Structure formats: structure tokens, C-alpha cells
């Protein structure tokens, strides 16, 4: 699973349906704990991400896989070993499932060409983060019963966001209307060609939307001069109760985490149990990753 | 006493003789004696003692002149050596101009002489040396242009770097003019290009790659045309790749300014979609453009805005390329595909054959002030014999020479070099 772009609606629906069943199993504590018994899952994280790594780790363990975490600080990548050397090593270890997070776009695609294991992209540069989009879609679907014909506003640093790209592909594929909202300096070139509407004003961008998805603003963007200051950003693009009033009265708020409170989102909104889905997103993350591991290991399991 | 070099005299029979620089386009025979073209024509008989090559109607043209080549030497021998570049004879090339941004940079007269001499050693290649425009190609202070020119530098350039400072560029054009030398520019505004990996636009957005706006090229071209007008200096833009660049250059030429340009095969044969799915072998500098730009460049070959086609050969090792896209080295190998890709414009588009050959021979030779690229009687017999309709396939890993980083892997081409002669001596046989 490298990217959402190119996936068809039935594939996405099937994945969400399976994830839905894992949500129920997880809640009832009746997970089938031996589905991946004897399989090895390696978490290969070239960028720190405690929550995504933990989510994959938990998903793998709940299905009975042997899970190994390889962080960049503990690997030989710092000693000049290339990504493909690492791939060769992991191949020799007969890994079944390989979860990769990397700072460069296309890193997961490159790795997938060189290893036998099923590769799951857990975020590559500013390209895609497919399991995040799936978990977001599952979260929305469980609350609203559908994705089709909903209006979703994705707000903030779209330019540097793999979460935004994967969500745009998934939501437009499933028939949702997608808006992107943010300052022009944080909008990718020709982003409208991805099938979205572009807004530079939060109030207009949020008008009558069903879902507000906030993106994380990384601090280094400020040093590159794309945004003059945090207070200016929060004033115009931070989500607070006042701006949220322009959305539908029952509009829901999402954030992939970790949040910069007071930069892109106000705590009052983030912590409002009536509006915020942020905790639920985390729960759905484990279920979605279990579904992905289940589907990607099917061929290997059939061959046994 | 030195032994005279034993060389067979050669008689080319039934060749399509083509020398666009002199308006020659006829079927006939051509006779080479002692490395010199003696005569050609339809009625020319077989001289006694000459070896006959039956050309069977294949095109016999001047050995190709490639005006933009990065050699691995000095400094990057793991990518390519001059000896392996000399296998460019397989592409019909007998003269090439080498870029100076090597390690060390070619910014000293002794290095210019060395590079030229290393070409002669190969016996199959004339190397014309560009010299650094600024010391170390660092863009800070002018190199010793006069001394470098005296040592044989054909023109000045900082290779893959435009001069960022407008003041320094003005100075360079003014000073070079005094030595009658041309300044060659890699037209890309450095601060806009910094960190970029692909042309900004929908595709780069989808792939999540940092973009370089296409206008980064026209910005430098517009500036340097104005500086050429201000200084009276002579400026040449290398590997132009956008429609807007050609519009600016066309206007400057109409105005009578000393402004010329070349392009490279990827820019009229490929568009940005070649990088789809993160293909690093199609990562070039400048990056591949959108289809409308590719079409404009192809049209520029026909209408005469573009003066030469150069391979823009940039040898890279597999390790330079087997990396995530943004980290991979830019550049493609191009020596052995130069003729074939240009011929594709003859076969599939509207480029007349004589114009194609002019872009590969007399055009670049004139820009470089070289006496290569011609078939006049009395000229050195640097020759390329090729079958324009004969097909072959580009396969990375199986090309002559060391650098295998072709962006054209898998491409079927029509136009096969049958033989190459350097000063009358056969240096390549298919």
C-alpha cells in the first residue's frame, strides 16, 4: 500500500468495511490473535513518529505478528548506509510486512521495488500517507454514515502535507466535495487540478462544510518565510470557535496530530467532545492498520 | 625519425553526402586520402589503392559536434573517464565541448591544455575545452579569461550554475567581449531552483516533489539578453527548455543581438510525465517540462531559433540515481542517443533532415569557432555514416561507454550509426 492515488472506490470501501469489523472486535476484545502468527512486521521509521509507529505496532501485535521497531537512530543509516542497502538487509531477514516512514517523497515506492515484503507507506515526504486517509475516512463514515456528497475543508499547510494529498485523493474518489483552505504560500501549484476548490479565507472556506480537517503547521515553515509569524497565522488560519461558526452547526473537527495548540487550532475547539473527532481518529487508526495488514498478508497466507 | 602513421585511403561509394553548412545534399562518392577529404561527387571514380566502403545510400555527414558534455574527468572518474566517453564514437560524435565544472574546475590555462591533450590521446575525439567563467565556477570573481582563451578555451561558462550576481554577469560579458569570447549560460534562477526536483505544477504536486517554476529559466534569459544589449557581449543559452525562453531569444535575435541557444534531446522528445512513479533516470537539470513546452522546443528546431542540439551528457553512477527522487543526482547520459533522438524529429515530426544534421554539425561548430562539422575539400576527414531508417533500441546497461543513466531507456529509435571516422581513421564500426 503505497498511495491512495489510483485506488478505486470498491477497493477503498472493502478496506473500510474490514476496518469497521476490526473496530467492533477491538471494542469487544475478541480479536483473532493468531491471524499473523509467525509473520514478521518491521516498522522502519526514518522520521520520528511515536503515534503512527505505536499504532502499527499495536495493530501487528493484536493480529499476532512479531513486531520489530527499527528507528533511524538505532540503525546503520546514520553511518552512510543507503535506503537500498537497508532494503537488502531486511530482504535477507525474510520480513513479511514492512512499514516505512521516510522524509523523502517516493521513498516507499523505491523500497517496494527492491524488497519481497509487502510495503506499507506510513508517510513519505510530502507525497502520501495512505493509512491516515483511510482512518480519517472511517472516522467520518462512522459518524455521518457516508462519504459521498459531504463537504470537507482541509485547512492549513497543504503544500507540505502528505495527509492532505492522501485525503484529497480518497475523498474525491469517494464522491465527497473537497475544499482546501490556507494562505497562498502554503498551497501547492495547480492544486485545483486534483479536483478541489481553493480558498484563502477561512470563513468562506468553512461556509456550510460538514467536516473541518486541520493540518499541522511545522515550525520550520516559518523560518523559510512562508508565513510571517505564528500569531498572524493563528489570526487568519487557526481554527477557533468563531471561525467554526461558519461551518454547518453539527460540523465535526479533525486533526491528524500532533497538534500545535494556539497555532493551527484553539484548545477550546480541539477538546470539545461534541465537535472534535481527534481521539476517535486515533482509535480508528489501529483498526485501519489491522485491516491493511490483514489484506496485504492474504496472498502470503494463501501460499502457505 | 618518427614513423609516418600508416593510414589507408578510403573511398565511400554510393553515399547520401550531406553537409548542410555548405549546402551539400547529394548522392555520390567521397574520397579520403591521408586523413583529408580530397573530393566527392557523383562521377568520382575509385582511386587506385583506396579501400572501398559501400554505403548503400546511407547518410555520410561530418562527424557530429556535441557542444555540451560533462566528462567525468577530472574528479568524477567513477562516473566516466575520457577513455569511456571516447566510445561516443558509437554515436557518431568526433568533436565535443567539455564543461569546466569538474573537480578541480577548469579555471587554469594548464588544465585547458591538459583536457585538449587528453582528447588527442584517445585518437577518436577532439575535446574542445570550455573554461570556467569565474574561479572555481563559484560565481564570485572572474577567472583569467585572457590566459584561458590563449590556452585554447572555446568559450566561458560556469557549467550548471548561472551567475547569480547581475553585476558580475555584466562584468563577465563586457570583459569576455574584449577577447572575442562567448559566455555560455545555464539559464536557471538559483534561488527559485534551490532544493527543487521537478517542474512546478500538477505532476510535482501529485508526487509531493519540491517544484522549480518553469519561469526560473526565462528570468535569467531576460536578464542576460538585456545585459548583452548593454555590453555588446555575446551570450549563449544552453539547454533551453521552455516556450517563453524561445520567445525571448527569438526577439533578441530579431534585434540583432549576439544571442544564441542550444537544446538537448530530452527537451524535444520527453515531457515531465517521464518522471512518473519517481523515475530518477528522468531527473534532469533543467527538469523536464510540460508538453506545451516540449512542442515549442521541437518547433524551435525547425524555425531556426535554436542554433544547435547538444547531448547535455551528464554521466551518473547507479548510486547517484538509486535514491529517493529529490536526493538523486540530476542529469542523463546522452552521447550515443544524440543522433537517434534528433532523427525521431525527422521521422515523426517536421524537422527536415538537412536541418537536423546542421543542428548537430555546422551549427555548433560555428558557435564554437571550430573548423569541424564540414565536408569541404581539404577538410579533416571527420565523418559519420548512418542509416536513417535502421532501427535499434536504447537499453540502459548495454550502451557503449560507462555512463548508463539514460532517460530514454526502452526507447525504439530509427537512425543507426554504421561507422565513424576521425581524421580518416575508422574509430567505430557497427
Amino acid at each position: 500500500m503505497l498511495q491512495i492515488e489510483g485506488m478505486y472506490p470498491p477497493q477503498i470501501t472493502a478496506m473500510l468495511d474490514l476496518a469497521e469489523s476490526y473496530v467492533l472486535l477491538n471494542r469487544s476484545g475478541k480479536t483473532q490473535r493468531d491471524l499473523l502468527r509467525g509473520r514478521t512486521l518491521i516498522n522502519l521509521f526514518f522520521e520520528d513518529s511515536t503515534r503512527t509507529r505505536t499504532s502499527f505496532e499495536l495493530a501487528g501485535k493484536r493480529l499476532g505478528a512479531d513486531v520489530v521497531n527499527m528507528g533511524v537512530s538505532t540503525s546503520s543509516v546514520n553511518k552512510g548506509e543507503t535506503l537500498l542497502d537497508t532494503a537488502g538487509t531486511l530482504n535477507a531477514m525474510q520480513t513479511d510486512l514492512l512499514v516505512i516512514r521516510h522524509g523523502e517523497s517516493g521513498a516507499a515506492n523505491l523500497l517496494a521495488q527492491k524488497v519481497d515484503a509487502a510495503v506499507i507507506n506510513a508517510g513519505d515526504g510530502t507525497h502520501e500517507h495512505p493509512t491516515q486517509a483511510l482512518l480519517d475516512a472511517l472516522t467520518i463514515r462512522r459518524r455521518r454514515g457516508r462519504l459521498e456528497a459531504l463537504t470537507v475543508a482541509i485547512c492549513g499547510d497543504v503544500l507540505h502535507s502528505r495527509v492532505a494529498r492522501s485525503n484529497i485523493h480518497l475523498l474525491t474518489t469517494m464522491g465527497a466535495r473537497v475544499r482546501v483552505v490556507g494562505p497562498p504560500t502554503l498551497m501547492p501549484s495547480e492544486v485545483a487540478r486534483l479536483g478541489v476548490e481553493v480558498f484563502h479565507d477561512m470563513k468562506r472556506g468553512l461556509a456550510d462544510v460538514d467536516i473541518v480537517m486541520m493540518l499541522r503547521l511545522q515550525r520550520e515553515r516559518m523560518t523559510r518565510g512562508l508565513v510571517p509569524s505564528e500569531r498572524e497565522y493563528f489570526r487568519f488560519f487557526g481554527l477557533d470557535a468563531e471561525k467554526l461558526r461558519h461551518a454547518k452547526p453539527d460540523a465535526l473537527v479533525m486533526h491528524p496530530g500532533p497538534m500545535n495548540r494556539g497555532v493551527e487550532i484553539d484548545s477550546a475547539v480541539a477538546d470539545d467532545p461534541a465537535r472534535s473527532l481527534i481521539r476517535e481518529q486515533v482509535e480508528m487508526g489501529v483498526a485501519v492498520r489491522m485491516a491493511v495488514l490483514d489484506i496485504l498478508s492474504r496472498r502470503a497466507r494463501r501460499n502457505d | 625519425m618518427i614513423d609516418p602513421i600508416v593510414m589507408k585511403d578510403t573511398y565511400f561509394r554510393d553515399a547520401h553526402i550531406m553537409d548542410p553548412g555548405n549546402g551539400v545534399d547529394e548522392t555520390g562518392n567521397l574520397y579520403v586520402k591521408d586523413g583529408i577529404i580530397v573530393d566527392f561527387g557523383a562521377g568520382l571514380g575509385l582511386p587506385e589503392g583506396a579501400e572501398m566502403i559501400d554505403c548503400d545510400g546511407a547518410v555520410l555527414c561530418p562527424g557530429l559536434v556535441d557542444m555540451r558534455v560533462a566528462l567525468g574527468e577530472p574528479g568524477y572518474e567513477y562516473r566516466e573517464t575520457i577513455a569511456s566517453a571516447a566510445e561516443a564514437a558509437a554515436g557518431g560524435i568526433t568533436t565535443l565541448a567539455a564543461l569546466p565544472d569538474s573537480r578541480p574546475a577548469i579555471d587554469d590555462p594548464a588544465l585547458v591544455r591538459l583536457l585538449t591533450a587528453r582528447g588527442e590521446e584517445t585518437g577518436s575525439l577532439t575535446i574542445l575545452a570550455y573554461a570556467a567563467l569565474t574561479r572555481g565556477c563559484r560565481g564570485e570573481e572572474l577567472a583569467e579569461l585572457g590566459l584561458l582563451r590563449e590556452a585554447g578555451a572555446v568559450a566561458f561558462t560556469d557549467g550548471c550554475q548561472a551567475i547569480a550576481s547581475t553585476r558580475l554577469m555584466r562584468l563577465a560579458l563586457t570583459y569576455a567581449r574584449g577577447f572575442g569570447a562567448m559566455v555560455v549560460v545555464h539559464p536557471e534562477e538559483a534561488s527559485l531552483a534551490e532544493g527543487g526536483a521537478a517542474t512546478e505544477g500538477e505532476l510535482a504536486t501529485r508526487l509531493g516533489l519540491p517544484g522549480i517554476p518553469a519561469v526560473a529559466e526565462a528570468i535569467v534569459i531576460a536578464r542576460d539578453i538585456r545585459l548583452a544589449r548593454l555590453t555588446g557581449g555575446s551570450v549563449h543559452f544552453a539547454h533551453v527548455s521552455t516556450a517563453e525562453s524561445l520567445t525571448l531569444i527569438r526577439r533578441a535575435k530579431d534585434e540583432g543581438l549576439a544571442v544564441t541557444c542550444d537544446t538537448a534531446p530530452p527537451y524535444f522528445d520527453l515531457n515531465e510525465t517521464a518522471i512518473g512513479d519517481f523515475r530518477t533516470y528522468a531527473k534532469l537539470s533543467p527538469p523536464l517540462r510540460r508538453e506545451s513546452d516540449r512542442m515549442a522546443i521541437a518547433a524551435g528546431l525547425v524555425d531556426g531559433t535554436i542554433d544547435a542540439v547538444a547531448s547535455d551528457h551528464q554521466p551518473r553512477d547507479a548510486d547517484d540515481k538509486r535514491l529517493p527522487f529529490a536526493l538523486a543526482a540530476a542529469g542523463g547520459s546522452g552521447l550515443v542517443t544524440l543522433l537517434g533522438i534528433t532523427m525521431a524529429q525527422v521521422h515523426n515530426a517536421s524537422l527536415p533532415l538537412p536541418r537536423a544534421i546542421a543542428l548537430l554539425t555546422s551549427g555548433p561548430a560555428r558557435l564554437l569557432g571550430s573548423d569541424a562539422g564540414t565536408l569541404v575539400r581539404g577538410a579533416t576527414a571527420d565523418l559519420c555514416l548512418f542509416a536513417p531508417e535502421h532501427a535499434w533500441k536504447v537499453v540502459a546497461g548495454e550502451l557503449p561507454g560507462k555512463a548508463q543513466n539514460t532517460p530514454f531507456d526502452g526507447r525504439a529509435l530509427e537512425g543507426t550509426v554504421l561507422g565513424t571516422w576521425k581524421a580518416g581513421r575508422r574509430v567505430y564500426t557497427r
Side-chain angles (χ1 to χ4, degrees):
Chain A
M1 149 138 302
L2 301 176
Q3 56 190 45
I4 298 290
E5 188 177 12
M7 283 181 78
Y8 296 106
Q11 292 175 291
I12 293 169
T13 302
M15 228 166 236
L16 295 179
D17 290 347
L18 184 64
E20 183 90 50
S21 72
Y22 276 115
V23 174
L24 301 176
L25 283 173
N26 283 342
R27 285 190 177 169
S28 66
K30 286 182 191 155
T31 315
Q32 190 186 354
R33 288 193 170 270
D34 58 354
L35 192 72
L36 296 182
R37 176 150 300 153
R39 311 272 164 200
T40 308
L41 182 156
I42 295 189
N43 271 326
L44 185 59
F45 275 59
F46 292 89
E47 273 184 351
D48 280 340
S49 165
T50 311
R51 61 172 65 214
T52 304
R53 200 205 63 221
T54 308
S55 181
F56 271 107
E57 186 174 354
L58 216 51
K61 284 185 171 163
R62 284 201 184 152
L63 294 172
D66 298 322
V67 181
V68 180
N69 290 318
M70 264 180 81
V72 68
S73 53
T74 56
S75 82
S76 49
V77 174
N78 283 340
K79 299 167 198 156
E81 188 178 86
T82 67
L83 179 59
L84 292 186
D85 290 335
T86 309
T89 308
L90 296 176
N91 231 6
M93 292 175 182
Q94 278 131 33
T95 313
D96 301 292
L97 294 152
L98 198 51
V99 177
I100 178 177
R101 156 72 60 97
H102 198 284
E104 289 292 333
S105 300
N109 302 59
L110 180 66
L111 191 70
Q113 289 166 18
K114 306 290 174 186
V115 296
D116 302 327
V119 174
I120 298 150
N121 181 8
D124 63 325
T126 54
H127 177 222
E128 285 226 33
H129 191 353
T131 57
Q132 178 72 41
L134 286 165
L135 77 86
D136 287 343
L138 182 62
T139 310
I140 297 170
R141 204 179 74 165
R142 283 175 57 84
R143 281 300 186 100
R144 286 285 180 263
R146 63 190 161 97
L147 296 169
E148 197 190 340
L150 293 178
T151 304
V152 181
I154 302 177
C155 309
D157 183 2
V158 179
L159 177 62
H160 298 98
S161 178
R162 51 196 173 212
V163 173
R165 281 173 180 73
S166 287
N167 266 310
I168 288 169
H169 293 312
L170 192 150
L171 292 168
T172 55
T173 301
M174 300 307 286
R177 284 187 297 267
V178 180
R179 300 174 177 183
V180 290
V181 189
T185 47
L186 294 179
M187 281 296 154
S189 168
E190 298 181 10
V191 67
R193 301 283 296 257
L194 272 55
V196 300
E197 262 190 289
V198 183
F199 291 84
H200 303 305
D201 178 305
M202 280 288 268
K203 289 171 187 167
R204 280 191 214 153
L206 296 190
D208 296 321
V209 303
D210 297 285
I211 306 285
V212 182
M213 261 186 201
M214 297 308 296
L215 301 170
R216 180 179 163 76
L217 181 76
Q218 286 171 6
R219 310 246 161 164
E220 73 246 30
R221 306 307 172 210
M222 240 83 72
T223 62
R224 288 191 55 217
L226 295 173
V227 174
S229 71
E230 281 185 13
R231 67 174 187 175
E232 175 152 321
Y233 186 82
F234 184 70
R235 168 77 181 75
F236 291 97
F237 300 101
L239 185 67
D240 54 20
E242 160 59 22
K243 293 194 190 89
L244 187 57
R245 247 194 293 282
H246 292 81
K248 279 191 181 161
D250 60 348
L252 298 168
V253 175
M254 303 173 77
H255 191 295
M259 285 181 282
N260 288 313
R261 291 168 184 267
V263 180
E264 72 258 358
I265 193 162
D266 189 65
S267 288
V269 173
D271 302 333
D272 177 357
R275 311 299 292 272
S276 171
L277 297 178
I278 295 170
R279 285 199 178 178
E280 201 168 324
Q281 285 174 275
V282 177
E283 184 193 353
M284 294 307 123
V286 178
V288 154
R289 282 153 189 146
M290 289 170 79
V292 169
L293 296 177
D294 179 345
I295 287 173
L296 289 185
S297 62
R298 277 180 190 171
R299 189 190 299 165
R301 283 187 274 133
R302 258 200 312 273
N303 291 345
D304 283 356
Chain B
M1 183 175 160
I2 302 164
D3 289 340
I5 297 164
V6 181
M7 196 183 317
K8 265 183 271 178
D9 299 338
T10 314
Y11 173 79
F12 297 86
R13 191 186 153 274
D14 187 23
H16 181 174
I17 301 169
M18 182 158 293
D19 177 11
N22 294 295
V24 176
D25 183 0
E26 61 186 60
T27 300
N29 313 317
L30 181 143
Y31 177 46
V32 172
K33 185 176 167 59
D34 299 329
I36 302 290
I37 297 168
V38 176
D39 201 5
F40 60 83
L44 183 68
L46 175 65
E48 202 176 322
E51 180 195 15
M52 187 174 82
I53 308 273
D54 195 341
C55 300
D56 204 14
V59 174
L60 186 63
C61 67
L64 309 188
V65 180
D66 185 349
M67 73 176 295
R68 189 176 179 86
V69 175
L71 296 169
E73 270 188 71
Y76 300 92
E77 286 80 358
Y78 73 97
R79 290 173 171 169
E80 189 163 70
T81 60
I82 287 172
S84 71
E87 296 184 42
I93 297 163
T94 53
T95 300
L96 61 79
L99 291 170
D101 48 348
S102 45
R103 212 168 39 187
I106 309 301
D107 61 358
D108 189 279
L111 290 167
V112 170
R113 292 195 186 92
L114 174 74
L115 210 53
T116 312
R118 296 280 282 113
E120 281 166 24
E121 280 170 24
T122 66
S124 59
L125 204 53
T126 297
I127 295 180
L128 304 174
Y130 285 118
L133 183 60
T134 66
R135 283 179 204 274
C137 294
R138 282 189 297 270
E140 289 161 7
E141 45 183 343
L142 284 188
E144 297 164 313
L145 306 192
L147 294 174
L148 291 161
R149 182 77 167 152
E150 202 173 56
V154 287
F156 298 97
T157 179
D158 273 3
C160 296
Q161 199 77 43
I163 303 292
S165 154
T166 309
R167 178 188 168 276
L168 183 61
M169 188 60 186
R170 176 195 182 175
L171 196 64
L173 282 167
T174 308
Y175 191 71
R177 182 171 58 100
F179 294 99
M182 174 171 88
V183 173
V184 177
V185 175
H186 166 77
E188 188 175 60
E189 210 285 321
S191 69
L192 287 175
E194 193 188 340
T199 298
E200 198 169 278
E202 183 188 348
L203 182 69
T205 290
R206 284 181 186 276
L207 294 174
L209 292 173
I212 304 172
V215 75
E217 182 167 303
I219 286 172
V220 169
I221 289 177
R223 180 196 74 171
D224 289 354
I225 285 173
R226 281 158 179 77
L227 290 176
R229 189 190 294 136
L230 177 68
T231 62
S234 157
V235 65
H236 175 87
F237 299 107
H239 48 214
V240 294
S241 62
T242 71
E244 192 181 3
S245 301
L246 289 188
T247 303
L248 293 168
I249 291 166
R250 201 173 288 129
R251 205 180 299 149
K253 286 184 161 191
D254 288 345
E255 205 186 311
L257 298 176
V259 170
T260 54
C261 70
D262 70 70
T263 192
Y267 304 111
F268 55 77
D269 192 79
L270 300 173
N271 64 30
E272 62 182 349
T273 59
I275 67 166
D277 207 21
F278 305 100
R279 272 191 70 228
T280 58
Y281 279 58
K283 183 182 178 185
L284 307 175
S285 174
L288 289 169
R289 307 299 191 187
R290 60 185 58 204
E291 175 64 8
S292 55
D293 283 322
R294 185 201 68 77
M295 287 170 68
I297 297 298
L301 298 176
V302 179
D303 71 21
T305 309
I306 295 169
D307 301 278
V309 173
S311 70
D312 201 13
H313 180 71
Q314 293 279 347
R316 296 289 180 260
D317 184 73
D319 288 344
D320 297 327
K321 287 288 189 183
R322 278 192 213 133
L323 292 167
F325 196 89
L327 300 180
S333 68
L335 296 174
V336 292
T337 48
L338 174 62
L339 178 64
I341 302 287
T342 307
M343 283 301 294
Q345 290 296 311
V346 175
H347 293 304
N348 311 330
S350 54
L351 184 65
L353 179 62
R355 174 79 192 136
I357 301 305
L359 288 164
L360 296 168
T361 57
S362 53
R366 191 178 306 124
L367 293 170
L368 297 167
S370 159
D371 53 13
T374 176
L375 295 181
V376 291
R377 294 169 180 86
T380 303
D382 289 356
L383 302 169
C384 167
L385 179 68
F386 72 96
E389 320 270 306
H390 189 280
W392 65 290
K393 192 172 175 182
V394 182
V395 181
E398 294 175 15
L399 298 174
K402 191 169 179 205
Q404 299 294 323
N405 54 310
T406 174
F408 301 110
D409 189 22
R411 185 90 154 74
L413 293 174
E414 280 178 283
T416 304
V417 177
L418 303 173
T420 308
W421 286 262
K422 181 70 191 171
R425 199 172 66 87
R426 189 160 193 164
V427 293
Y428 172 71
T429 306
R430 186 174 175 272

